[in-house]
Amino acid sequence: MKKVKAAVITRPGEIEIQEFPYPSIKESDMLVKIEMSGICGTDKHTYKGELRQYAGTAAEEDVPLPVIPGHENVGVVAEIGKVAKKNLEFYGQELREGDRVVICPDIICGRCWYCRHIAAYPWCENIKSYGVTISCSDPPHLFGGWAEYMYITSNTFVFKVPPEIPPEVAVLTEPLVVTYHLDKAKEFYSLGGEGFGTGDTILIQGVGPLGLCHIIKARIMGAGQIIAIDRSEYRLKMAKDFGADVVLNVEKTTEEERIEKVKNLTKGRGADIVVECAGVPEVVREGIEMLRKGGMYFEVGNYVEGKEVSLSPHRHMLAKSIRLIGMTNHPYTGYGPTLELIRRYLDTIPFKRIVTHRYKIEKAKDAMLKSMELESMKVVIVP
Ligand SMILES: [Zn+2]
Ligand SMILES: [Zn+2]
């Protein structure tokens, strides 16, 4: 019988290469041959045993190991059921074997209060995510992208990729959709100066792949000055190449120096928007200190429950009248526009440089360790 190879996180710190039976598909489902699957900060948290997601909500859950990781996926349709052919693609395009697709990892129930009330954001009480919160214990097992094939069920948001977008760029679709935080900030924009206005100063804390995607998006959306903060000189250099004007290395500056520098760059006011993409609880206070009065702070990176940090309700919230916005997940309505944006900017933005390291499934552990090094940007599994 044909087997499918996959990398499995069996317990924290442990990645095993396992084989699963090649599945037969239902009429409403499909099987995707994975071309590339990215490593995200969430995968690093899982690997480190930081498993609790959506803490304090109805969706609170610990990642149900064993899991085949991989939620930033691009691949081609390997087999597709009769019904799925007509119904599965988000915009109603017919899918055929060989078509390149990207897959939104989040599966929602469609029936809970959040699904009924909050359009496009998967804030579902019963959310399940490919490569994150679906265990590979039960058949058909193949619910993550670090595998030769992935099994896609009928309730999945699937998007056909325009033919001119190659896999090493299409694999960035998911993190680029996560930048819809900035679109959210645009929604808040008013002529009184709230939210993200044209020419505003945007500060990104942490410029790994997600921070880099925010720089790209902020630039496209009409940011003025973009400031990037990180520990890695390698990443800060890339941040500059992709549109950051000023970079600050945490290893070479003190917190006070960084705050002062940001104030100096903004006529003493502070940044209009700060986005936390470091996934480090301790940076939140510093980020708020760098924000101007009435500025907007986005908490994006701390995807799992971690340390608590202290804030002064007066100094950090009231006195500054800040808008403190926590944003989990990304909107499935963002995939179509993001693919269009990628297609449109393919010649002007060097997207192909963002994937810096590629590993076979057998080397998934090396890939994970590489993604935690300072000298890497997007690390991907290429089955
Ligand atoms: Zn992710
Ligand atoms: Zn729901």
Side-chain angles (χ1 to χ4, degrees), residues 212-285:
L212 196 67
C213 285
H214 277 81
I215 289 175
I216 292 168
K217 184 73 171 285
R219 194 40 87 218
I220 291 173
M221 288 177 72
Q225 190 168 224
I226 298 178
I227 304 168
I229 302 181
D230 204 281
R231 295 164 53 208
S232 158
E233 209 49 57
Y234 175 95
R235 291 180 168 192
L236 288 171
K237 178 168 184 320
M238 270 187 102
K240 274 209 143 173
D241 293 347
F242 281 82
D245 302 290
V246 179
V247 298
L248 298 171
N249 191 327
V250 174
E251 303 291 353
K252 296 178 182 165
T253 50
T254 65
E255 181 174 337
E256 290 68 34
E257 285 167 353
R258 290 190 293 278
I259 293 167
E260 196 188 313
K261 177 85 177 160
V262 171
K263 290 273 167 76
N264 289 340
L265 287 165
T266 52
K267 301 190 169 67
R269 289 195 299 271
D272 300 289
I273 308 272
V274 176
V275 187
E276 188 283 300
C277 292
V280 178
E282 290 86 341
V283 307
V284 173
R285 216 182 130 275

Side-chain angles (χ1 to χ4, degrees), residues 108-112 114-115 124-126:
I108 58 172
C109 77
R111 302 202 60 83
C112 71
Y114 291 96
C115 284
C124 175
E125 291 183 6
N126 307 300

Side-chain angles (χ1 to χ4, degrees), residues 13 28 41 43 48 50 61 66 68 78 105 126 144 173 175 187 197 204 214 227 232 259 273 317 351 375:
S28 56
D43 303 315
K48 287 192 272 187
E50 297 159 4
E61 185 181 12
I68 302 173
N126 307 300
T173 309
E187 281 175 34
I204 312 289
H214 277 81
I227 304 168
S232 158
I259 293 167
I273 308 272
M317 297 178 81
F351 288 111
E375 301 235 328

Side-chain angles (χ1 to χ4, degrees), residues 76-346:
V76 293
V77 178
E79 277 189 56
I80 185 159
K82 255 205 323 271
V83 177
K85 225 172 222 177
K86 300 255 181 264
N87 289 352
L88 194 51
E89 209 276 338
F90 190 80
Y91 295 104
Q93 302 182 78
E94 187 168 326
L95 287 177
R96 294 197 191 89
E97 280 86 1
D99 282 345
R100 178 166 292 137
V101 291
V102 289
I103 302 132
C104 173
D106 303 320
I107 300 174
I108 58 172
C109 77
R111 302 202 60 83
C112 71
W113 188 90
Y114 291 96
C115 284
R116 295 295 199 205
H117 286 250
I118 311 286
Y121 274 92
W123 292 347
C124 175
E125 291 183 6
N126 307 300
I127 185 170
K128 291 284 165 210
S129 299
Y130 287 105
V132 186
T133 50
I134 310 179
S135 167
C136 63
S137 297
D138 303 318
H141 311 288
L142 304 171
F143 296 122
W146 299 10
E148 292 169 300
Y149 293 92
M150 203 172 144
Y151 192 95
I152 305 299
T153 52
S154 60
N155 50 358
T156 308
F157 302 114
V158 175
F159 304 85
K160 199 165 164 174
V161 177
E164 55 271 55
I165 303 179
E168 65 267 37
V169 178
V171 75
L172 305 167
T173 309
E174 196 264 6
L176 276 164
V177 179
V178 175
T179 67
Y180 263 71
H181 311 302
L182 294 173
D183 295 74
K184 185 55 91 180
K186 277 272 185 197
E187 281 175 34
F188 279 93
Y189 180 65
S190 66
L191 294 173
E194 274 192 79
F196 179 3
T198 304
D200 274 358
T201 296
I202 313 291
L203 188 149
I204 312 289
Q205 295 180 287
V207 285
L210 186 58
L212 196 67
C213 285
H214 277 81
I215 289 175
I216 292 168
K217 184 73 171 285
R219 194 40 87 218
I220 291 173
M221 288 177 72
Q225 190 168 224
I226 298 178
I227 304 168
I229 302 181
D230 204 281
R231 295 164 53 208
S232 158
E233 209 49 57
Y234 175 95
R235 291 180 168 192
L236 288 171
K237 178 168 184 320
M238 270 187 102
K240 274 209 143 173
D241 293 347
F242 281 82
D245 302 290
V246 179
V247 298
L248 298 171
N249 191 327
V250 174
E251 303 291 353
K252 296 178 182 165
T253 50
T254 65
E255 181 174 337
E256 290 68 34
E257 285 167 353
R258 290 190 293 278
I259 293 167
E260 196 188 313
K261 177 85 177 160
V262 171
K263 290 273 167 76
N264 289 340
L265 287 165
T266 52
K267 301 190 169 67
R269 289 195 299 271
D272 300 289
I273 308 272
V274 176
V275 187
E276 188 283 300
C277 292
V280 178
E282 290 86 341
V283 307
V284 173
R285 216 182 130 275
E286 174 177 333
I288 294 175
E289 289 280 350
M290 290 168 169
L291 199 60
R292 74 159 160 83
K293 189 164 186 170
M296 194 169 276
Y297 188 87
F298 280 95
E299 172 47 51
V300 176
N302 284 293
Y303 208 82
V304 294
E305 184 161 37
K307 236 195 217 149
E308 293 190 2
V309 291
S310 67
L311 294 177
S312 154
H314 173 79
R315 181 185 176 88
H316 295 119
M317 297 178 81
L318 181 143
K320 270 190 159 177
S321 297
I322 67 158
R323 281 76 179 105
L324 176 57
I325 316 262
M327 289 289 279
T328 180
N329 302 99
H330 60 317
Y332 44 83
T333 50
Y335 276 79
T338 297
L339 285 166
E340 175 55 18
L341 218 54
I342 293 173
R343 197 188 62 75
R344 174 67 183 73
Y345 284 89
L346 216 44

Side-chain angles (χ1 to χ4, degrees), residues 65-81:
L65 300 178
V67 156
I68 302 173
H71 59 275
E72 301 172 359
N73 298 313
V74 57
V76 293
V77 178
E79 277 189 56
I80 185 159

